[in-house]
Amino acid sequence: MGTRNNFIKGLPKAELHLHIEGSLEPEQMMMFAERNSIELPYKSADEIRAAYEFSNLQEFLDIYYLGMSVLLKRQDFYDLTFAYLQRAHADNCCHVEIFFDPQGHTGRGVEFADVVEGISVALADAEKEFDMSSRLIMCFLRHLSEEDAFTTLEQAEPFLDKIHGVGLDSSEVGHPPSKFRKVFAQSRAKGLKIVAHAGEEGPPEYVWEALDLLKIDRLDHGNRSMEDEELVKRLAAERMTLTVCPLSNLKLCLVDDLKEHPLRKMLQAGLKATVNSDDPSYFGGYINDNYIQTAEALDLTQGELAELARNSFTGAFVDRIRRAELLRSLDKYVSGQDGEDFARWPR
Ligand code: ADE
Ligand code: ZN
């Protein structure tokens, strides 16, 4: 049946902006809390869900760090990750790039090895079971010091065969990319890819810093870049991929309504925007929910949806062969060669 929602559901796509700790569903939070004998300030999953009303990034982060405190053992990280991968697979995600926040765990006494190994084994299992490729990106918490980030990079050293890149997340305003210039330079020297959250709540200047000082390979969010014409030109000229997260933007009040979301304007300005879920459990939707609700609000065309999926493959940190494979599956789908008929839905 040629409806837009069916087109989205079957569309091969990659998720490039997903915090694994942000996929922790309230039911899982209760289950892990019980398993690990951790006391939560909530009595039920419904009570947890009711607390998910945010008016800015910090209000969300406070609950997000509390939520992840139920994760203690290697098995917890495995279970959390595999559950997310099953959901991503159901949404026709063929490739995922997962962020994790090691400092959110090591700061509570969890071993770095347990976090990375738990997540990595789940990624390997998904590759076997779903033919889903993946990358793991370690984020530095920007509300902590650069020295702390250096310690984390040292802890990661034995696991660099499993970690493909480094990122920057947490409270943006007051913690500009320039605060982390040295640790990103050292990460780059180790061959790691560089990404950073910038222009989510922070001003366009933070995006300039991410480009010029951190030398990012990809930009996470980047919404506020739209306030600066020169910056938009620069991002377009560099074919910089932006990992945009519409439901996150709505839930954190960056936009009042998805109808006001800048996604189409980004594409029209020549930006390589992609659609992602950020913290799906907290923001009310996984990747297809993000595509479907944004498509509905902005009345996105089949061409625009295919462009978003294409951008997710061109922006992925994969080798030439895997990229060609992913793009081929998309072309086949969009041209209808795989048997789906979207002729009744205007291109
Ligand atoms: N950590 C998890 N989600 C985040 C977001 N949307 N912005 C900054 N840090 C985060
Ligand atoms: Zn994020």
Side-chain angles (χ1 to χ4, degrees):
M1 221 195 7
T3 67
R4 178 162 52 201
N5 287 1
N6 284 342
F7 178 77
I8 289 170
K9 285 175 190 158
L11 187 68
K13 56 185 82 67
E15 171 132 84
L16 304 179
H17 187 148
L18 178 282
H19 301 264
I20 197 61
E21 297 89 347
S23 73
L24 180 68
E25 290 287 339
E27 288 76 12
Q28 288 175 310
M29 201 188 290
M30 298 292 294
M31 183 273 286
F32 287 127
E34 180 156 344
R35 187 156 113 179
N36 292 326
S37 309
I38 286 169
E39 189 101 21
L40 281 175
Y42 311 106
K43 284 188 201 65
S44 68
D46 285 344
E47 216 178 283
I48 299 173
R49 255 193 202 96
Y52 293 175
E53 287 296 332
F54 316 114
S55 51
N56 55 46
L57 175 59
Q58 193 58 50
E59 286 185 12
F60 153 68
L61 289 169
D62 292 342
I63 291 195
Y64 167 79
Y65 293 121
L66 173 77
M68 70 172 78
S69 70
V70 301
L71 303 166
L72 283 189
K73 311 219 171 74
R74 190 173 296 207
Q75 187 68 40
D76 303 338
F77 290 93
Y78 176 92
D79 293 344
L80 176 71
T81 307
F82 199 74
Y84 160 71
L85 295 168
Q86 282 175 311
R87 298 204 60 156
H89 174 60
D91 279 359
N92 257 308
C93 260
C94 326
H95 176 80
V96 297
E97 304 203 353
I98 291 189
F99 295 134
F100 72 113
D101 284 332
Q103 290 154 295
H105 311 300
T106 54
R108 303 180 283 112
V110 177
E111 291 292 330
F112 191 99
D114 287 336
V115 183
V116 182
E117 296 288 356
I119 298 173
S120 303
V121 173
L123 295 177
D125 284 355
E127 173 118 45
K128 273 184 254 149
E129 213 167 302
F130 311 135
D131 194 25
M132 185 191 280
S133 49
S134 58
R135 299 294 188 210
L136 186 54
I137 300 174
M138 168 175 95
C139 287
F140 300 125
L141 297 182
R142 69 202 307 159
H143 66 273
L144 300 178
S145 67
E146 186 176 45
E147 196 187 336
D148 225 288
F150 267 114
T151 305
T152 306
L153 185 57
E154 258 167 50
Q155 289 171 327
E157 192 71 43
F159 306 98
L160 289 186
D161 57 328
K162 297 184 174 69
I163 298 172
H164 206 77
V166 291
L168 187 64
D169 66 1
S170 197
S171 324
E172 186 181 8
V173 175
H175 303 283
S178 49
K179 179 177 163 188
F180 296 92
R181 182 203 301 226
K182 292 195 227 85
V183 76
F184 274 87
Q186 193 167 123
S187 302
R188 203 163 356 94
K190 290 180 188 295
L192 290 160
K193 290 282 186 189
I194 305 295
V195 300
H197 284 52
E200 183 184 13
E201 280 189 347
E205 288 70 33
Y206 285 20
V207 180
W208 284 106
E209 284 192 9
L211 290 167
D212 292 331
L213 305 181
L214 305 190
K215 307 196 189 307
I216 49 170
D217 296 295
R218 203 162 66 205
L219 173 60
D220 296 318
H221 294 292
N223 297 35
R224 291 197 57 194
S225 308
M226 299 304 282
E227 298 168 20
D228 181 336
E229 221 175 287
E230 280 309 303
L231 180 55
V232 171
K233 279 191 206 148
R234 162 97 180 262
L235 293 167
E238 290 191 7
R239 308 176 73 77
M240 178 65 63
T241 300
L242 276 69
T243 63
V244 181
C245 307
L247 288 178
S248 161
N249 299 156
L250 182 66
K251 209 60 187 162
L252 299 184
C253 305
L254 265 65
V255 291
D256 293 332
D257 191 303
L258 275 185
K259 285 188 167 55
E260 291 157 25
H261 196 279
L263 188 68
R264 168 175 278 134
K265 288 200 185 87
M266 289 171 161
L267 293 178
Q268 286 171 342
L271 297 181
K272 300 281 174 202
T274 60
V275 168
N276 307 272
S277 66
D278 207 4
D279 302 281
S281 159
Y282 293 89
F283 300 148
Y286 286 76
I287 189 164
N288 280 0
D289 302 310
N290 274 271
Y291 268 90
I292 286 170
Q293 292 188 41
T294 313
E296 172 78 31
L298 301 179
D299 196 21
L300 295 178
T301 66
Q302 186 170 317
E304 285 168 322
L305 292 166
E307 185 181 347
L308 291 162
R310 176 168 300 277
N311 291 345
S312 75
F313 293 149
T314 56
F317 296 145
V318 290
D319 65 22
R320 206 169 40 83
I321 293 170
R322 180 63 179 154
R323 193 182 321 281
E325 217 169 69
L326 293 167
L327 288 169
R328 219 174 305 120
S329 73
L330 175 64
D331 288 340
K332 207 166 150 197
Y333 181 75
V334 172
S335 66
Q337 288 168 39
D338 60 358
E340 290 285 346
D341 175 16
F342 298 106
R344 286 193 292 133
W345 187 56
R347 287 162 201 244

